Amino acid sequence: MASAAAAPATRTTTPPWAPPWTRPPTTTRAPSCSTTTPDSSGSASPPARAGLTQRALKDALRVSYGKVAEFQRRGAIHFHAVIRLDGPDGPDTAPPSWATVQLLDNSIRAAVAHAYTTITVPAADGQPCRRFQWGRQLDIRPVKAFGDGSDITEQAVASYVAKYATKAAESTGSLDRRIGNREVLTLLDVSDHPRRLIEACLDLAPLYPDRKLAAWAHMLGFRGHFSTKSRRYSTTLGALRQIRADYRAAQEHDALGDPDTVLVLGSWEYAGHGHTPGESALAATIARDIHLNRQTAREALAALPDDRKW
């Protein structure tokens, strides 16, 4: 969904760095690496579309976003993003009048088609060179404010994003922890489709060591964060942690009463270290008996005839 001003935007598509075995049919494969890039004609950047430089744009507005990564059952990754144009000082200030929903919509579509969102993986040991880019699934919708009768409201989008934030790789049938060896797939009865994706990660790991495919095979090769946001999109994680800490402190205050009252439930005093005299004597006796038994056994073994020794 796309919008400007106080209306955020959500985008659903597949990232260019998804591993080759999880790509949708839009993945292109070439017999050899080349410098050919997708057609980016008309894909001017947002500052250029607004007639501004990058530096001037920062003085006019701020692009804020929040996104979650969703694992589909087939193993591909979809991103669901809410994108918003704020004023230069954040969400408390309005963006300029020219920062319209249509401008944001066009900018997102231009970014998806731009050459810098395409990566090329070189050929390696029989594997052809591959070029990856965003998939065909791109759904941009404007988000309306509360109470205007629209289906796509702020509340609906919050529920929508929260839904996908709870979907992890396990929803595909994969595992929730790293995989040490292939035998684990049999022992844990991993189903056929995620098993083949995991085995593909393990097979390709030696060819592309920088991709760390073996370490992230349980995530089907994806090693990004499930959720990211710009710092000024809304609140910060630090602020949320502080709210939780304050809430728990208030609960304890209600349960225990005056915080200045110290309730002592138990006390500890240092008693020393090592054995007590009695324990030391017992330990010395046990050690002496063990030594004597071993010596007696060695003497008895030496007295045996050679044909009875073992």
Side-chain angles (χ1 to χ4, degrees):
M1 308 174 210
S3 83
T10 299
R11 179 178 67 191
T12 305
T13 185
T14 307
W17 52 87
W21 49 93
T22 64
R23 296 295 301 148
T26 53
T27 300
T28 58
R29 181 179 298 182
S32 61
C33 292
S34 67
T35 58
T36 304
T37 57
D39 178 20
S40 59
S41 59
S43 58
S45 64
R49 290 174 178 272
L52 300 173
T53 63
Q54 289 278 1
R55 179 171 298 180
L57 185 70
K58 294 179 181 179
D59 296 332
L61 60 80
R62 181 190 298 269
V63 179
S64 300
Y65 71 90
K67 68 89 178 163
V68 294
E70 174 215 355
F71 273 91
Q72 294 188 306
R73 290 192 63 82
R74 60 187 173 122
I77 306 295
H78 271 200
F79 276 155
H80 301 267
V82 181
I83 307 173
R84 187 182 65 223
L85 297 182
D86 297 328
D89 295 325
D92 294 333
T93 57
S97 58
W98 49 261
T100 62
V101 172
Q102 191 60 49
L103 175 68
L104 183 55
D105 185 294
N106 293 342
S107 299
I108 295 173
R109 296 183 187 279
V112 171
H114 200 281
Y116 58 55
T117 63
T118 298
I119 63 171
T120 300
V121 178
D125 194 19
Q127 294 293 328
C129 172
R130 293 181 172 92
R131 188 172 67 241
F132 302 106
Q133 61 194 57
W134 290 100
R136 293 192 183 95
Q137 298 181 27
L138 178 62
D139 183 15
I140 303 175
R141 304 182 191 179
V143 179
K144 304 296 184 180
F146 286 106
D148 71 340
S150 173
D151 292 335
I152 310 300
T153 63
E154 295 174 356
Q155 186 177 29
V157 170
S159 302
Y160 177 76
V161 171
K163 167 188 173 183
Y164 291 110
T166 61
K167 292 182 65 176
E170 308 91 82
S171 63
T172 68
S174 183
L175 304 177
D176 60 355
R177 56 192 177 277
R178 293 195 173 183
I179 299 170
N181 53 63
R182 297 172 188 263
E183 288 72 19
V184 172
L185 303 178
T186 301
L187 293 174
L188 298 180
D189 195 25
V190 177
S191 56
D192 181 62
H193 181 62
R195 174 197 290 266
R196 288 188 288 112
L197 296 178
I198 293 170
E199 289 177 341
C201 289
L202 300 176
D203 291 338
L204 293 175
L207 305 182
Y208 308 103
D210 59 321
R211 305 292 173 177
K212 305 183 186 303
L213 295 175
W216 293 94
H218 65 296
M219 295 288 288
L220 311 183
F222 177 71
R223 52 194 176 104
H225 291 286
F226 89 93
S227 175
T228 56
K229 70 177 188 66
S230 59
R231 182 171 179 81
R232 298 291 296 274
Y233 175 74
S234 57
T235 187
T236 63
L237 297 179
L240 293 177
R241 285 192 293 269
Q242 187 60 50
I243 292 173
R244 287 195 296 270
D246 294 342
Y247 177 76
R248 293 294 296 168
Q251 280 187 319
E252 293 182 4
H253 177 272
D254 294 340
L256 301 178
D258 187 358
D260 295 330
T261 301
V262 179
L263 177 63
V264 179
L265 300 179
S267 62
W268 295 84
E269 295 182 1
Y270 179 71
H273 65 279
H275 292 144
T276 64
E279 291 170 341
S280 297
L282 179 61
T285 301
I286 294 174
R288 186 168 58 252
D289 290 344
I290 292 174
H291 176 72
L292 180 60
N293 290 339
R294 288 177 177 173
Q295 184 177 359
T296 302
R298 284 194 295 267
E299 293 174 354
L301 182 62
L304 290 174
D306 292 340
D307 60 345
R308 297 188 60 187
K309 292 182 179 179
W310 35 275

